[in-house]
Amino acid sequence: MAVQREVSRAVTAARVGTTIDVIVDEVDEEGAVGRSKWDAPEIDGSVFLDGAEGLVPGDIVRVLVEETDEYDCWGRVAN
């Protein structure tokens, strides 16, 4: 598991600075949570969009990835 965690960390780190398509799964007062085309629901990592407004579940948005860990990404909706 430790080796796989490092492999996953490298894969997600390569996404920093890129723009990816994300489908929105949940929206709350803090922002939205979605997933990329690489992520299966409830199995793989998530994409967190802090402060995102005006989104509803099912929206597909372009997201600039700003930070990652071994499984998840954080970013903002790209214009």
Side-chain angles (χ1 to χ4, degrees):
M1 285 301 295
V3 171
Q4 179 55 42
R5 190 171 30 255
E6 288 307 312
V7 169
S8 183
R9 183 185 308 276
V11 169
T12 59
R15 295 186 184 136
V16 172
T18 66
T19 303
I20 61 173
D21 291 325
V22 171
I23 186 166
V24 176
D25 290 323
E26 301 174 29
V27 178
D28 63 21
E29 62 280 347
E30 295 179 14
V33 179
R35 56 194 156 87
S36 70
K37 64 183 177 184
W38 304 284
D39 302 315
E42 299 182 21
I43 296 172
D44 293 314
S46 297
V47 179
F48 296 94
L49 305 168
D50 293 336
E53 296 180 358
L55 300 177
V56 296
D59 282 349
I60 297 175
V61 295
R62 300 283 293 161
V63 173
L64 175 62
V65 178
E66 298 174 319
E67 184 180 340
T68 62
D69 65 12
E70 58 269 357
Y71 304 112
D72 300 318
C73 297
W74 286 262
R76 61 182 165 88
V77 175
N79 292 328

